[in-house]
Amino acid sequence: MRLSRRVAGGGLLLAMIVAMTACGGDDGGGGGTASKEVEVFTWWADGGEKAGLDGLVSTFATDCGQFTFVNGAVAGGAGSNAKQVLASRLTQADPPDTFQAHAGAELVDYINAGQVEDLSAQYQEWGLTNAFPAGLIQNITVDGKIYSVPANIHRANVLWSNKAVVAGAGITKDATSLDAFFADLDKLKAKGVTPLAMGKDWTQLMLFEVVLISDLGADKFTGLWNGTTDWAGADVAKAIADFKKLLTYTNADRDTFDWTDAEKLIMDGKAGYQLMGDWEAADLDAKGFKDYAFSVFPGNTGTFQWLADSFVLPKGAKNPDGTKCWLKTVGSAAGQKAFNTKKGSIPARTDANTSDYPAYQQAAIADWKNLKQAPSCAHGSACSQGWQGALNSAMGKFSGDGDAAALQSALVAAAGQFAKK
Ligand code: BGC
């Protein structure tokens, strides 16, 4: 973990940099001698995530050689640690030069708080306006202004498995309903392995969300986040009951696990399945584990639960020209290829060459085009950060006490507090 700080420059230095870059007058190619560093704040610290970041950094080194990448990554899946560190830095007016933010409601939080700059002019200048799908652009736009550059599209509702463990339990085909999945989990249980590897709060929220998709369908699920579906309904109660049953097939120490700890149970042959986003493909590849398979979560067929990582120009960034060069790299065809071929995600740009990608992403590129899309709260496309925090806490509590009525009340209360009126 690194909480980097460049040497405090003081007002005079800042004024000099501003004057020098203003004279340079370009889109990131200028840069004064004093402000070469670009601190990039992410939670991509290890494995496939780091490999993806390294891909972007190598394109940045080629395209923006006048600047120096500084790695501000704070480890912890889904930004569980990074987001807290970032929030405190933003409060203290000490932003990194750029940070990772999920497209959708999470980004809107930063926009509404006035913490990120409008990038509409850069979209024009770099020809990005038509590079991304219209729906994605809508998710990063407020009042006609565009505030971030998307690096990718990830899929959240994917079930990963250890092929040998699953075959060893006599499971021969992918379950397509929750009932069939419960039967498969029983077979794994009888073999003495953990049927479903599980981690802490946000990973439990991911599992709960896909169960909601299975029980409610994609449209009613999406309605939970825009106020058209009632969290107090009997279908949500049924999903809670199914989710509770699923937890009985998971490792008892789940609340102490990050997603990579649960993934290790799969790699070590100690567990059969894990529900996780498709960063798992990249991470398993980066760790050299080959005997894995993937399928859509049972009951989610036809739905692509999406999220997207994007990068912003924070208000008060110390090296805005360097940030712009980073953002230009992120949005470029070369940057998206270098990043996404290693990250498990698919390019946000629509002009990518599918054959450049590994097998998993080739399938995901086709699915993204053809399937119904649903957002993710655990990864910020569906809900604000406040709402996400409330649900993560509710999940952690439910994992301990299994009180279904209390969970549903907490879900109803969170929607009452955080859903847009
Ligand atoms: C991010 C992914 C990341 C995953 C696990 C998600 O919120 O969007 O880029 O790989 O968390 O850390």
Side-chain angles (χ1 to χ4, degrees):
M1 180 186 296
R2 175 176 184 285
L3 303 184
S4 90
R5 294 286 187 284
R6 62 181 60 84
V7 180
L12 178 60
L13 181 57
L14 185 66
M16 284 167 63
I17 294 165
V18 169
M20 289 167 81
T21 53
C23 291
D26 63 18
D27 63 357
T33 49
S35 190
K36 283 174 62 71
E37 293 188 345
V38 181
E39 188 199 356
V40 177
F41 187 96
T42 71
W43 54 88
W44 299 330
D46 299 297
E49 299 183 338
K50 171 80 166 40
L53 180 61
D54 287 347
L56 263 182
V57 172
S58 69
T59 312
F60 179 69
T62 307
D63 294 353
C64 305
Q66 68 276 38
F67 296 113
T68 308
F69 167 83
V70 173
N71 193 351
V74 174
S80 41
N81 304 318
K83 283 188 192 170
Q84 290 172 32
V85 174
L86 178 65
S88 107
R89 288 187 58 178
L90 294 179
T91 307
Q92 292 162 31
D94 176 31
D97 292 301
T98 183
F99 62 85
Q100 170 190 359
H102 289 122
E106 179 182 309
L107 179 72
V108 173
D109 282 345
Y110 295 116
I111 298 171
N112 289 343
Q115 291 165 326
V116 292
E117 299 279 7
D118 173 17
L119 296 169
S120 307
Q122 283 68 40
Y123 265 68
Q124 292 295 332
E125 188 182 336
W126 303 338
L128 290 184
T129 312
N130 296 318
F132 303 114
L136 182 58
I137 292 279
Q138 203 184 322
N139 278 288
I140 55 177
T141 303
V142 167
D143 292 337
K145 295 175 180 166
I146 309 181
Y147 288 87
S148 74
V149 178
N152 64 359
I153 306 287
H154 265 305
R155 186 173 187 179
N157 57 342
V158 188
L159 189 66
W160 306 91
S161 62
N162 178 313
K163 273 191 192 170
V165 171
V166 165
I171 299 165
T172 52
K173 63 177 176 30
D174 297 331
T176 55
S177 69
L178 281 179
D179 284 344
F181 190 43
F182 284 129
D184 288 347
L185 295 175
D186 280 330
K187 289 180 192 163
L188 287 160
K189 196 172 186 177
K191 282 282 171 186
V193 293
T194 299
L196 184 60
M198 189 81 248
K200 63 182 176 181
D201 50 19
W202 66 269
T203 72
Q204 295 165 18
L205 179 57
M206 286 186 76
L207 181 65
F208 181 53
E209 288 190 59
V210 296
V211 173
L212 284 166
I213 293 173
S214 298
D215 282 337
L216 277 68
D219 290 338
K220 280 196 86 178
F221 170 81
T222 301
L224 290 167
W225 311 107
N226 64 26
T228 57
T229 302
D230 186 3
W231 282 95
D235 43 11
V236 173
K238 157 91 167 66
I240 293 173
D242 284 334
F243 174 65
K244 183 170 177 170
K245 186 167 170 187
L246 279 176
L247 286 186
T248 66
Y249 294 96
T250 67
N251 40 300
D253 48 4
R254 58 184 176 255
D255 295 324
T256 64
F257 270 25
D258 204 335
W259 70 278
T260 41
D261 302 309
E263 176 197 47
K264 187 159 188 310
L265 294 181
I266 298 284
M267 292 170 61
D268 291 348
K270 293 180 177 160
Y273 292 107
Q274 182 187 7
L275 179 275
M276 193 37 60
D278 48 14
W279 43 90
E280 180 128 340
D283 205 57
L284 291 168
D285 291 347
K287 290 171 177 166
F289 181 75
K290 295 192 171 38
D291 196 30
Y292 70 88
F294 55 86
S295 57
V296 62
F297 185 77
N300 280 213
T301 305
T303 302
F304 190 115
Q305 193 188 20
W306 73 276
L307 59 119
D309 295 301
S310 69
F311 283 90
V312 296
L313 171 55
K315 282 229 165 89
K318 297 177 190 70
N319 184 3
D321 278 355
T323 303
K324 285 177 191 163
C325 214
W326 172 262
L327 296 176
K328 192 173 180 184
T329 300
V330 168
S332 69
Q336 300 236 324
K337 180 176 160 189
F339 177 62
N340 288 297
T341 47
K342 298 280 185 251
K343 181 68 171 65
S345 40
I346 62 174
R349 289 184 69 103
T350 53
D351 57 0
N353 193 349
T354 309
S355 60
D356 289 340
Y357 285 80
Y360 170 77
Q361 282 105 313
Q362 294 202 10
I365 288 171
D367 285 348
W368 170 243
K369 283 194 197 116
N370 299 326
L371 304 186
K372 189 180 274 280
Q373 293 167 18
S376 156
C377 178
H379 303 287
S381 48
C383 66
S384 64
Q385 296 189 62
W387 198 348
Q388 182 191 76
L391 297 197
N392 281 342
S393 305
M395 288 295 136
K397 183 167 174 296
F398 184 69
S399 179
D401 67 17
D403 185 339
L407 175 58
Q408 192 158 12
S409 299
L411 297 172
V412 170
Q417 185 177 356
F418 294 108
K420 274 204 206 103
K421 300 287 175 319

